Amino acid sequence: MSFAAEPNPPSDALDVLTKSAIKAPAHVFDLLRRLHQLSLDQEFALKNDQTIQKWKKNTDLDAAQRKEFFDNLMRDKFIALTPDKSIFMYNLARASGALNIVECGTSYGVSTIYLALAVGQNAAQKGVAAGGAKVIATENEPSKAKQARKYWEEAGESVERYIELREGDLTKTLQADLPPIDFVLFDIWSPMVMPTLRILEPKLKPGAILLADNTAAPGNGYGEFLSHIRGDGAPYTDMTLPFQDGLEMAVYSPGSSTT
Ligand SMILES: C[S@@+](CC[C@H](N)C(=O)[O-])C[C@H]1O[C@@H](n2cnc3c(N)ncnc32)[C@H](O)[C@@H]1O
């Protein structure tokens, strides 16, 4: 999400989540609609919150004070990937046949549900047992992790069994026990993205897909990450997809010839 963008009326944003957009049991589909609505309502309120507008303009705050304000503000916020981006992500994960996905930034687990549906459906199609396919979810706010688990329990078997939630700072929780990775979602505070990619990169499979949210938002803080994946000789192909505030899609392509 970006505070700079004009808010969309929440009802419009949800229109894309039709029954033909994703394959999901009816109760999971209804759960996703409910959670997106909560997230969109929160974002709508945030964009019109005068406290935030004052905070944005207050140049007296130092970096630590700004971080504290931001962390407190976000502690109970979904900040879920928007429905259009979520649907695209689900279908990309399905089309690529991803079996092992890392989700950087889980919050209340909305995007995790899409990724777990995709992983589970890919596993079923390929005849892979549940243990061989999963979404590694990451969240450092305990109250969010607890509630995310409840939503996944409500979603049931087709979702819950494909999620492994690692609680705590992801730059620590992702240090060990990573499978070869097919797909990564970066939906986390942008300064965390490059340190996390450094941890994940040795485990990326050739052809692995990276998505990163809001790379075209004003002041997005993605500079180091974008330089890394777009640099001369970088082992990636990359495009900013034209969703609101951008959605970066990169494909890990080590050793690919340019001749
Ligand atoms: C944008 S939200 C994720 C939204 C989620 N992907 C979705 O679509 O439902 C980013 C989350 O990252 C979490 N986070 C921030 N820093 C973190 C860190 N160092 N380790 C793990 N999680 C972190 C925040 O608490 C927040 O809930």
Side-chain angles (χ1 to χ4, degrees):
M1 73 175 260
S2 159
F3 294 125
E6 286 302 310
N8 279 329
S11 54
D12 287 1
L14 251 179
D15 286 352
V16 289
L17 185 52
T18 60
K19 293 223 160 113
S20 62
I22 59 168
K23 298 275 183 223
H27 73 282
V28 177
F29 184 83
D30 292 344
L31 173 64
L32 285 171
R33 285 191 73 89
R34 196 176 97 221
L35 299 183
H36 274 303
Q37 190 64 67
L38 288 169
S39 182
L40 291 163
D41 288 349
Q42 278 183 342
E43 289 199 25
F44 190 81
L46 275 174
K47 282 170 181 159
N48 294 299
D49 185 324
Q50 288 310 310
T51 318
I52 297 166
Q53 303 312 323
K54 278 190 204 145
W55 168 72
K56 277 170 64 185
K57 288 182 191 140
N58 187 346
T59 47
D60 294 340
L61 299 175
D62 62 26
Q65 288 169 317
R66 296 185 82 79
K67 182 174 183 316
E68 191 186 351
F69 180 92
F70 184 75
D71 286 348
N72 285 334
L73 184 70
M74 292 301 156
R75 207 171 302 285
D76 65 345
K77 304 297 183 297
F78 276 81
I79 340 163
L81 205 61
T82 52
D84 54 352
K85 291 175 177 174
S86 301
I87 292 164
F88 173 77
M89 175 185 71
Y90 160 87
N91 281 292
L92 187 61
R94 284 291 281 129
S96 64
L99 292 174
N100 285 293
I101 296 183
V102 178
E103 179 188 60
C104 304
T106 289
S107 188
Y108 291 114
V110 181
S111 51
T112 331
I113 295 176
Y114 285 90
L115 293 171
L117 285 169
V119 157
Q121 291 162 14
N122 290 341
Q125 196 166 37
K126 294 179 179 191
V128 172
K134 67 181 166 193
V135 180
I136 297 176
T138 56
E139 180 53 53
N140 69 348
E141 174 54 45
S143 58
K144 285 185 164 181
K146 190 173 171 195
Q147 185 59 49
R149 287 187 200 280
K150 287 188 187 162
Y151 290 138
W152 300 334
E153 190 183 351
E154 184 178 337
E157 202 43 10
S158 64
V159 167
E160 199 180 15
R161 67 200 296 224
Y162 293 104
I163 301 172
E164 174 192 321
L165 176 60
R166 299 192 183 182
E167 288 190 53
D169 180 350
L170 84 173
T171 59
K172 297 192 173 68
T173 63
L174 293 177
Q175 288 287 352
D177 299 326
L178 289 175
I181 299 165
D182 298 302
F183 195 112
V184 181
L185 170 66
F186 290 106
D187 190 16
I188 197 161
W189 316 153
S190 53
M192 305 303 301
V193 170
M194 201 49 225
T196 309
L197 179 56
R198 284 204 184 90
I199 297 165
L200 300 181
E201 207 165 52
K203 301 298 286 189
L204 294 179
K205 282 165 67 174
I209 294 170
L210 311 185
L211 290 183
D213 193 24
N214 291 336
T215 50
N220 59 67
Y222 270 113
E224 196 188 357
F225 169 71
L226 294 177
S227 300
H228 180 77
I229 60 175
R230 292 174 184 168
D232 274 353
Y236 293 96
T237 55
D238 166 63
M239 182 184 182
T240 308
L241 302 173
F243 290 95
Q244 183 168 7
D245 290 332
L247 180 70
E248 207 69 16
M249 176 179 160
V251 177
Y252 184 57
S253 316
S256 297
S257 169
T258 52
T259 55

